Amino acid sequence: MGRSFLSVRLGVRSLAERWERVSGKLDRDSREHAVRLTGLAKNHSSEAFFGCDNPLEAMVFSALLEIRRNQGEEDDDVGP
Amino acid sequence: MWVLDTVYRDGVDLWCRDASGTVTRKHYAYDPPFYLHLADPSAHHEMLDVLEAEFKAEPCSFFTLFGELDGFSVHGNRQLAEQIEQQTRFDARLFNVDVRRDQQFMAEQGIFPCGDDPGSRFSADFSCSLRRMEICIRDDPARTPLCTEVEVTGDCTETLHGPGHTVVADLFGLVESIDPEVILMSHADTWLPKFRAFSVEKGLTMPFSRNGKYRQMSSRSYWSYGRMEHKEAALIPDGRVLIDTDESFVYREGGLAGVLMASRLSGLSPNMAARFTPGTLISSYEVYEAVKRGIVVPFRKADAETARKLADLRAADRGGMMFQPKPGIYENVNELDFTSMYPSIIVRYNLSPETLENPSAKGFLPAVLAPVVSLRRETKERKRTEPRYAGIDTLLKWMLVTCFGYTGYKNAKFGRIEVHEAITARSRDILIQTKDLAESMGFVVLHGIVDCLWVQGSPVEVLQQRIGDVTGLRAENEHFDWIVFLPLNDGFGAYNRYYGRLSDGSMKVRGIAARRHDAPDIIRSMQQEMLEVMCTAKDTGELARVRDKVRKIYLAALQRLPLADPRTLAISRRISRTRYTHRCLEGAAVQAYRDDGVEVAPGMKIRYIVRDARRYQVDPEWRAKTFDVPYYRSLMEKAWNDIAYAFGGRVMRPG
């Protein structure tokens, strides 16, 4: 039924696993950030598949969006 | 003419039932031609001369899905068609080669099985009052040569018990005296060949067929929706409906009413409709409709897709839309579900292989699916108050689910991958459109999967109305007092694992042990017991208050586990292969079956109990005496964790 090549969603899953493996090899300081980054990259990847053609694009989009959102929250915290 | 069974055997046999319940055979001489189209007939003049002389070939024109073609009608069988293909180096295009002749005959005559009013084929109100007999055989057909314990229910109930040869002879006597129109029999397709061997050996007449004749279906294993399935060989009696109640998917899902409805729509005998998958049924329905409309059915598909770049294929073929949920417990959630979304899209947007290039033409697929879609809407509505429509509704649901898949199936007679892509593209747009609409009206969208959206907010009736206005599709609503979206291992929300309490007081459960057929009974019933308690909680406050009661169920189950009957611990698996390269429990179970002399084939269901998980030691259900307590304890713990999440997760209230 339909074709069967790796979907963006499954591609994201396999890329995320790779990123998690890489995270494990980093020094302790970087490791924590890398694990968080992987989480951010997965956050919106399932919606991003609607417009993105490859998993990496979906993950980068998701991570940047979350980073921007966090930045926005930090900006809001800064008083006049 | 109320047709109970149909057979093609040197013409068409229709087994007709009159008002008094008498079944008689009517024979019709029928030898339809198949059709041949050649791009350059003169290049094959020698072959055409032979076809004319030997197989009554005549020039003619006929209608395909894409328009009229000139060609030849040829009176021959499939072997001849295949020879023509080879002779012409697959230049020939052939039609109506593999259409079932009894089905073709009925479609041409405008008749259908299990009904006599031509105008009522798409009605859910038809009679199922056939003389029926239920045969429940207690023995395991894989391990017993002849049955020794049988319960027969007809006008009254009789139990047959004793040596196999006596029980089978008595069973034959009962079938003959009751003379049912429908036999519902457990593992019928496995038992019948054994009965036949026995009757031949003892010189008895096997009375299942009305004329002593049986059709044969060979066993096969096949992939369907990503999993391996297995179908037993079958002996199908003439003139009587025999349903294997264990193996028939259509009967299991839709009951006898479902089988009869499938037969009415597809134009296949109920004996066949009961043995086919919903995919084959919808495909047969399309064939019946094509023949009825004078459209010839292609033998091989010729409308292959055009070459495209891989990037374009990826862009086009994305499947359904999903919005991942945030795991947690949510109060007052509405599940908006588009009824038969994909077939409705086919109908509404006129999607059919021939309309891709010519969108203004009225498409074949939309035309034939429209009455089924509206019948499904009707049965879905009526089953709420009249349960007798539930079986028909389920059958229609399955047929409509598979009609979409078939548009992308390489061998589908009226499918084309671009139609498949167009349907999913529309569905993604519709789900996003619905999400935007809901958010613009102040709703919070929690989760979405293909044809379903979970939202918090109100008034939901206004949202439903707006969705209908904007998309042209109908969305049904189910209200949850509370719902739990479970997490995946990585903490993100799972798409298809959730449970919650509906406003009518029932629980809706997806993806956890309580609903999984492969989970051991002991674990499934433990979770079901927990859910029954949780079901009494109308909100998350009340839910928190039943926590201790639910946990006690878990602790009690843990305590009882070491003393459990091993049969309640059986794990069910549908095996996808019979050779395993790595050690695993499933592979060990397959070997255990073989050791006990039971033949296994891909797609078969096996049941086993884990004796020692670390050493990959398992026993078939019938042999198990001991089990690996820590292994089952871990399964129990996993099932408890899914439930415990409802008591520990964050509660999200609307607003």
Side-chain angles (χ1 to χ4, degrees):
Chain A
M1 307 294 163
R3 286 188 206 85
S4 49
F5 47 73
L6 194 68
S7 70
V8 172
R9 204 176 290 119
L10 288 172
V12 166
R13 191 188 293 176
S14 116
L15 267 179
E17 279 168 12
R18 246 163 51 202
W19 286 19
E20 274 158 7
R21 278 202 301 276
V22 173
S23 305
K25 306 287 177 207
L26 298 174
D27 61 67
R28 197 185 301 167
D29 281 353
S30 308
R31 193 183 308 156
E32 195 188 317
H33 294 295
V35 169
R36 276 189 63 201
L37 178 71
T38 310
L40 298 180
K42 285 199 283 187
N43 228 9
H44 293 283
S45 52
S46 72
E47 292 101 315
F49 104 105
F50 179 71
C52 300
D53 288 345
N54 83 47
L56 185 59
E57 186 188 357
M59 285 181 78
V60 171
F61 175 81
S62 172
L64 290 176
L65 176 67
E66 284 297 295
I67 290 166
R68 181 67 196 97
R69 191 210 298 273
N70 293 343
Q71 273 180 347
E73 280 167 11
E74 282 165 17
D75 292 347
D76 290 345
D77 289 343
V78 178
Chain B
M1 188 185 329
W2 207 99
V3 179
L4 181 72
D5 189 23
T6 66
V7 189
Y8 185 81
R9 205 175 267 127
D10 299 326
V12 173
D13 285 348
L14 298 184
W15 290 89
C16 304
R17 174 183 182 270
D18 65 18
S20 67
T22 308
V23 179
T24 46
R25 184 178 74 106
K26 289 184 181 168
H27 182 80
Y28 299 87
Y30 183 62
D31 179 27
F34 64 77
Y35 297 96
L36 158 70
H37 170 78
L38 293 162
D40 180 9
S42 59
H44 304 284
H45 65 91
E46 286 176 343
M47 180 188 78
L48 288 171
D49 288 345
V50 174
L51 289 176
E52 196 181 321
E54 303 282 328
F55 299 98
K56 298 186 275 181
E58 282 178 18
C60 66
S61 59
F62 44 87
F63 284 93
T64 73
L65 209 56
F66 299 91
E68 194 172 2
L69 280 181
D70 288 329
F72 302 86
S73 62
V74 183
H75 287 264
N77 56 18
R78 187 189 177 111
Q79 283 75 27
L80 176 66
E82 285 169 350
Q83 281 172 359
I84 293 172
E85 282 184 320
Q86 285 173 11
Q87 175 79 25
T88 60
R89 298 187 180 208
F90 293 89
D91 185 32
R93 288 175 60 194
L94 296 153
F95 301 88
N96 285 8
V97 172
D98 54 353
V99 179
R100 288 175 176 275
R101 301 206 167 176
D102 44 344
Q103 182 197 28
Q104 187 178 353
F105 175 77
M106 286 195 287
E108 284 172 2
Q109 300 295 318
I111 52 177
F112 57 90
C114 312
D116 43 16
D117 173 10
S120 73
R121 185 159 154 250
F122 295 101
S123 164
D125 292 306
F126 58 87
S127 170
C128 296
S129 57
L130 299 168
R131 213 165 41 249
R132 68 177 86 169
M133 177 179 181
E134 286 179 45
I135 303 174
C136 180
I137 302 179
R138 308 261 180 241
D139 312 72
D140 180 350
R143 301 171 50 237
T144 326
L146 280 179
C147 50
T148 58
E149 208 179 329
V150 180
E151 190 177 284
V152 180
T153 312
D155 295 333
C156 56
T157 301
E158 285 204 44
T159 304
L160 307 175
H161 182 79
H165 60 273
T166 318
V167 168
V168 176
D170 288 351
L171 180 63
F172 284 6
L174 281 174
V175 172
E176 204 152 4
S177 63
I178 296 173
D179 187 26
E181 286 151 302
V182 177
I183 299 177
L184 305 170
M185 181 172 162
S186 53
H187 294 292
D189 290 345
T190 318
W191 283 116
L192 231 61
K194 294 179 184 224
F195 289 175
R196 183 151 82 168
F198 168 75
S199 63
V200 169
E201 186 192 320
K202 300 287 178 192
L204 297 171
T205 304
M206 188 162 76
F208 292 90
S209 166
R210 285 184 190 276
N211 60 359
K213 292 178 180 169
Y214 293 83
R215 285 152 280 171
Q216 281 200 319
M217 274 173 93
S218 46
S219 76
R220 65 189 185 105
S221 298
Y222 57 97
W223 282 100
S224 176
Y225 288 90
R227 72 178 196 182
M228 181 58 78
E229 302 274 355
H230 178 76
K231 196 186 274 295
E232 286 290 343
L235 277 180
I236 302 166
D238 279 18
R240 206 187 311 271
V241 180
L242 173 67
I243 297 174
D244 184 326
T245 52
D246 289 286
E247 290 301 317
S248 168
F249 177 85
V250 175
Y251 178 76
R252 226 169 35 231
E253 292 287 313
L256 184 59
V259 172
L260 300 186
M261 188 77 225
S263 175
R264 290 160 65 92
L265 292 179
S266 64
L268 298 169
S269 136
N271 270 320
M272 293 297 168
R275 283 169 178 81
F276 286 159
T277 61
T280 309
L281 290 175
I282 194 74
S283 178
S284 300
Y285 165 70
E286 289 169 9
V287 166
Y288 180 94
E289 285 295 318
V291 174
K292 204 175 101 185
R293 288 154 200 257
I295 297 169
V296 291
V297 181
F299 183 36
R300 314 258 188 227
K301 270 171 69 173
D303 48 343
E305 62 179 311
T306 49
R308 283 187 281 176
K309 290 180 183 166
L310 187 60
D312 294 339
L313 291 177
R314 274 190 194 285
D317 204 1
R318 287 170 200 272
M321 187 70 210
M322 311 259 211
F323 303 114
Q324 196 162 18
K326 282 199 169 60
I329 312 157
Y330 297 82
E331 275 190 339
N332 288 320
V333 174
N334 292 295
E335 181 187 307
L336 296 164
D337 178 6
F338 286 98
T339 308
S340 306
M341 187 196 221
Y342 283 168
S344 299
I345 289 174
I346 295 175
V347 173
R348 179 170 169 75
Y349 295 98
N350 194 33
L351 299 175
S352 193
E354 76 282 17
T355 59
L356 290 172
E357 279 86 37
N358 185 9
S360 59
K362 191 166 163 46
F364 170 75
L365 276 186
V368 302
L369 289 179
V372 186
V373 171
S374 39
L375 181 57
R376 167 85 212 287
R377 276 194 198 129
E378 185 195 320
T379 55
K380 193 172 180 185
E381 194 60 45
R382 290 174 82 176
K383 76 170 181 182
R384 287 180 215 276
T385 49
E386 296 172 83
R388 70 193 171 101
Y389 293 108
I392 299 175
D393 183 68
T394 309
L395 178 268
L396 295 173
K397 181 190 87 176
W398 279 112
M399 283 177 73
L400 288 170
V401 164
T402 46
C403 81
F404 154 72
Y406 258 63
T407 59
Y409 176 45
K410 64 182 166 51
N411 293 329
K413 300 288 184 191
F414 302 106
R416 196 163 157 182
I417 191 83
E418 290 90 340
V419 177
H420 191 276
E421 292 167 356
I423 297 165
T424 52
R426 290 278 182 192
S427 80
R428 291 193 297 272
D429 287 343
I430 287 167
L431 208 67
I432 286 178
Q433 216 176 3
T434 308
K435 178 178 182 267
D436 290 346
L437 184 64
E439 285 175 345
S440 73
M441 290 171 68
F443 286 83
V444 178
V445 175
L446 304 173
H447 178 29
I449 178 164
V450 185
D451 58 354
C452 229
L453 213 58
W454 285 261
V455 298
Q456 268 180 330
S458 62
V460 73
E461 296 77 17
V462 180
L463 175 61
Q464 264 179 286
Q465 182 65 47
R466 290 286 308 279
I467 291 170
D469 295 343
V470 171
T471 66
L473 303 180
R474 187 166 146 174
E476 305 275 342
N477 175 37
E478 276 188 315
H479 178 82
F480 285 90
D481 294 329
W482 52 265
I483 186 169
V484 179
F485 291 121
L486 291 167
L488 293 163
N489 289 338
D490 62 6
F492 284 84
Y495 295 108
N496 50 6
R497 294 180 65 236
Y498 61 87
Y499 55 89
R501 183 190 196 266
L502 292 167
S503 51
D504 66 1
S506 63
M507 290 290 277
K508 186 164 182 175
V509 178
R510 294 291 181 269
I512 62 171
R515 199 180 141 92
R516 292 181 64 100
H517 298 298
D518 56 354
D521 287 349
I522 197 168
I523 289 170
R524 197 168 43 236
S525 55
M526 176 192 80
Q527 233 184 28
Q528 278 165 350
E529 200 184 334
M530 291 169 171
L531 291 167
E532 271 168 35
V533 174
M534 293 165 86
C535 190
T536 59
K538 293 190 186 104
D539 55 41
T540 51
E542 288 186 17
L543 190 62
R545 285 195 282 279
V546 298
R547 181 189 181 277
D548 288 346
K549 201 172 171 186
V550 174
R551 190 159 185 273
K552 270 184 191 162
I553 295 172
Y554 169 55
L555 295 175
L558 271 184
Q559 206 171 11
R560 286 195 305 266
L561 178 64
L563 305 169
D565 176 351
R567 280 175 301 180
T568 63
L569 297 161
I571 296 169
S572 284
R573 285 276 185 275
R574 194 175 287 280
I575 55 168
S576 57
R577 61 180 92 172
T578 53
R579 301 251 173 264
Y580 292 78
T581 47
H582 301 291
R583 288 184 81 188
C584 62
L585 292 173
E586 194 177 295
V590 167
Q591 191 52 49
Y593 263 61
R594 283 210 190 98
D595 293 345
D596 275 20
V598 179
E599 283 290 317
V600 283
M604 253 176 75
K605 238 185 189 174
I606 57 170
R607 283 170 66 81
Y608 61 89
I609 285 103
V610 179
R611 190 174 0 112
D612 187 340
R614 282 190 185 176
R615 295 191 171 85
Y616 299 101
Q617 289 175 346
V618 306
D619 293 310
E621 192 182 19
W622 58 84
R623 186 155 41 88
K625 292 211 167 41
T626 59
F627 56 89
D628 185 333
V629 177
Y631 173 79
Y632 282 99
R633 199 176 285 141
S634 72
L635 294 186
M636 233 170 218
E637 191 185 341
K638 215 172 146 203
W640 160 244
N641 286 342
D642 284 345
I643 297 296
Y645 190 80
F647 303 114
R650 242 176 70 206
V651 177
M652 269 68 118
R653 295 189 173 86

